[in-house]
Structure formats: structure tokens, C-alpha cells
Amino acid sequence: MTVETVSLNRSHGGTQGVYKHASRETKTEMTFSVFVPPHQDNARLPVVWYLSGLTCTHANVMEKGEFRRACAELGLIFVAPDTSPRGEGVPGDPAGAYDFGLGAGFYVDATQAPFAHHYRMWSYVTEELPELIAGHFPVDVKRQSILGHSMGGHGALTIALRYPDRYRAASAFSPVVAPSQVPWGIKALGGYLGEARDAWRKHDTNAAIELYQQYLATGGSESPQHAVASERLRRLRGERALPKRMDGK
């Protein structure tokens, strides 16, 4: 997978880069930023994934959120993707609104026309971009965390719940945790995924936690992922313990 360097700048002894590539998922050119801290040759570093909110690009946190000093001190790679596909032929909101379409991909794989062809941000963030980062940067894939703001907080939490064995930590600033219960969340999920609300559940943090509870209560406890999933749920719900079954048995 070819990656083109857009810019490189030195910061806190590390390198802040902006890159672009042709995405197989979105069928567009995608831009992302990566900060790589100072490190020894052949070192493999933990990686932090940051998902931005509505109207943002990779540049918002890179230019306005000074994370580089902390990342340099702690030895963390920091990755910030875009929030949607962009470019010629990529549809936006029919009325030009900010909360749907361009800059508002909601980290889902759209199934509805005309968005399904390009709006595949779930697969881009969880599959394609991690593969690309692992192939081009000195990351330790066993040490990952994910966080986000607003719409990005929604993405970070739903992704972390789906992949509890992938991330050491998940956090969010002012996240959208119940998009299926608010007007613009209903607009986004309905527009991308259709009117069948069952398809929305994995992209709604509250519903995703419910699904995990059902999973753990109906045999999921025998899975190798049980301990990780249980601990993730305890942290998200602020509880001391999660019973093996919903009835406490």
C-alpha cells in the first residue's frame, strides 16, 4: 500500500507528519496525520488512535490540540484520521448541513444509496488504516488505545466495545453515547444505515453495552475474550463487578 508524504515537521524531538493514500474502502484519497516520538532504532511503540468530531479533518487535533509533548515524553505514536471520505463524486448532505455527509461520516459503513460506495469509515478506521500504519510506522500492535471527541468519542467507544481485545484503553471527550435517541443521530444513522433500527445498535454505545451484557449472560463467559470484555464493561459502567449471568447466578 503506497503512502505519500504531504508534510513533515520536527516537534519535541519527534516527527509530525501528514500523509495521504488511495483508500480501498472509501474509493477516495484519504489524508491522516501521525506523530512519531523520538525512539531508538528498531523500537516498537504503543499507538493512540484519535477520532475527531463533526466538521473536523485530521488537522484539527494536530493544529489545536497539543498532544506532542506528552507523546514525546511517554513514547506514544499518535494517529488522527479524517472524519469522512472527500473528493469529486463523494455525496454530502442534500441540504448542505454540517451534521451529515462530508466531515460527518459517523464511523459507520453506510448501506444506503448514494452513500454506501464511499462512506465506509468503520472499515477504514478498524481495518485498512491500522494495516497501513502497522506497515509504515514502528507501532506495537499489542499496545493500542483509542479516544475521540464528540462524534469521534462515539466512534472510539463503539469500536472499543466491538474489539475489546485490541485496545488497552478507551476514552472520550463529550461523546455521543446515544445517537439513536437524538435528532441528528437519528438523521445520521438513518441516512447511512436505513430505517431498520436493529442495524443501528452496534453504533450506539448504550445499545452496544446492552449487547455485551446479553453476550456475557448467554454463554459468552466461556469465550477467551470474556475477561477482557467484562473488564471493559466494568470500566464503562463504573461498576466493581459484572456477574456471570444477568440474574446474578
Side-chain angles (χ1 to χ4, degrees), residues 215-239:
Y215 161 77
L216 293 172
T218 57
S221 59
E222 304 305 319
S223 163
Q225 295 183 341
H226 170 259
V228 178
S230 299
E231 179 61 23
R232 179 61 47 77
L233 279 174
R234 283 198 293 271
R235 291 177 182 176
L236 285 171
R237 296 169 59 197
E239 295 184 356

Side-chain angles (χ1 to χ4, degrees), residues 45-107:
L45 307 175
V47 57
V48 176
W49 299 89
Y50 179 84
L51 306 185
S52 291
L54 286 171
T55 76
C56 292
T57 69
H58 70 281
N60 290 71
V61 69
M62 182 182 75
E63 296 172 354
K64 300 176 182 179
E66 189 40 76
F67 52 85
R68 282 170 286 268
R69 179 176 179 179
C71 286
E73 291 174 351
L74 297 172
L76 302 174
I77 291 176
F78 191 97
V79 181
D82 203 347
T83 55
S84 79
R86 301 176 192 270
E88 186 176 355
V90 177
D93 185 272
Y98 75 95
D99 58 355
F100 186 77
L102 300 178
F106 272 83
Y107 304 102

Side-chain angles (χ1 to χ4, degrees), residues 51-52 147-158 171-176 205:
L51 306 185
S52 291
L147 75 154
H149 169 247
S150 190
M151 179 186 72
H154 141 79
L157 294 178
T158 53
S171 56
F173 305 102
S174 301
V176 182
T205 298

